[in-house]
Each structure stands twice: as C-alpha cells, then as structure tokens.
Amino acid sequence: MRVMVLVKASAESEAGVMPDTELLNEMGRFNEELVKAGVLLAGEGLHPSKKAVRIDFSGEERMVVDGPFAETKELVAGFWILQVKSMQDAIEWLKRSPFRDGQVEIRPIFELEDFGEAATAEVREREQHLRERIEGRN
C-alpha cells in the first residue's frame, strides 16, 4: 500500500525558519533508512505558505488566492510518499522519525482497484500508460 505522510506546518516553518544542521543530518539518516528498506517513493519539504497560492473552484470560475494562509495547523510543511505493507508499518516507520515536536498525518493513497467497476479496462489501460510515461519507460 502507498501512503502519504503529511508533515504539519508550525509557526517556525511558516516563518521560514530552516532546520539546523543536526536535524538535517538526522533527517538524512532517516531518509537513508527508508531508501535502504525500499519504502521511500518521494519526499520533500515545502516553502512557507507566503510563497504559495490557492485556487478556489466554483463551477467554471477560478479564483487565485495568494498566501500566506492564516491557519498554520491546517498547512503542510513537507511530505513523504511511502510504499509500506500496512498502515501499522507506516506508523512504525514514522515513530522512528527524528521529529521532537509537531505532528504528521498518514493517509492511504487510492489505488486503481479502490475505484471498483468505475475503473474499466480502458481506464486501467490509460492509467498504466500514464504511469509508464511518468516512470520514463516510454
């Protein structure tokens, strides 16, 4: 199963405070463990919301809203995408992360089979073709 780990923003991350060398080294070691275990698919930190925009959709209308955004507790400062055996496996990995404060949220990523009959053979074929292109096979 794939999961997305959302690293919640803090007042410090929203202020653009960068982690110190010690934390960067600890995160590097943790990410190395994830890579060696074949678990890490992607992972990045995100700039503060003052550099972000949101797009609100209402019918055919699109409204762009510039950051920063007020509710820090609802913002994401970074993410990992992990390939794990189970939600419990993801939890065990994240318990080993070097975080001392803050919060992460672990959410399963939809797989094509989760869509049941709506994922027709045509839909599955198109999805497979797109994944191959993304992965650089074609």
Side-chain angles (χ1 to χ4, degrees):
M1 92 184 282
R2 291 178 304 150
V3 297
M4 177 173 261
V5 179
L6 303 165
V7 179
K8 298 299 186 123
S10 65
E12 292 81 19
S13 68
E14 274 299 289
V17 176
M18 300 301 284
D20 62 23
T21 302
E22 181 181 349
L23 182 56
L24 285 176
N25 284 328
E26 289 177 25
M27 288 301 293
R29 285 189 291 273
F30 180 65
N31 286 338
E32 179 91 15
E33 286 182 53
L34 293 170
V35 170
K36 284 181 180 176
V39 174
L40 183 64
L41 299 178
E44 303 292 338
L46 301 174
H47 281 273
S49 70
K50 68 183 175 188
K51 295 184 177 184
V53 298
R54 287 182 175 163
I55 301 175
D56 292 330
F57 298 88
S58 179
E60 295 299 315
E61 290 186 44
R62 308 296 189 253
M63 185 167 69
V64 177
V65 180
D66 294 321
F69 307 118
E71 290 295 324
T72 301
K73 66 182 181 189
E74 295 179 9
L75 299 175
V76 175
F79 69 92
W80 282 286
I81 298 178
L82 305 178
Q83 178 77 48
V84 292
K85 296 176 184 125
S86 64
M87 183 61 85
Q88 189 59 44
D89 192 27
I91 292 167
E92 292 306 317
W93 273 109
L94 268 295
K95 283 181 174 181
R96 295 170 48 189
S97 74
F99 294 123
R100 287 173 184 69
D101 296 303
Q103 183 181 62
V104 300
E105 178 180 334
I106 305 171
R107 296 181 64 178
I109 296 173
F110 278 112
E111 301 294 347
L112 200 52
E113 52 271 6
D114 294 327
F115 294 95
E117 293 179 14
T120 62
E122 180 182 334
V123 169
R124 289 174 188 275
E125 184 177 317
R126 185 178 331 114
E127 180 70 18
Q128 182 63 36
H129 179 68
L130 289 173
R131 286 185 188 269
E132 289 172 359
R133 288 180 59 200
I134 289 169
E135 294 170 4
R137 294 186 209 159
N138 287 341

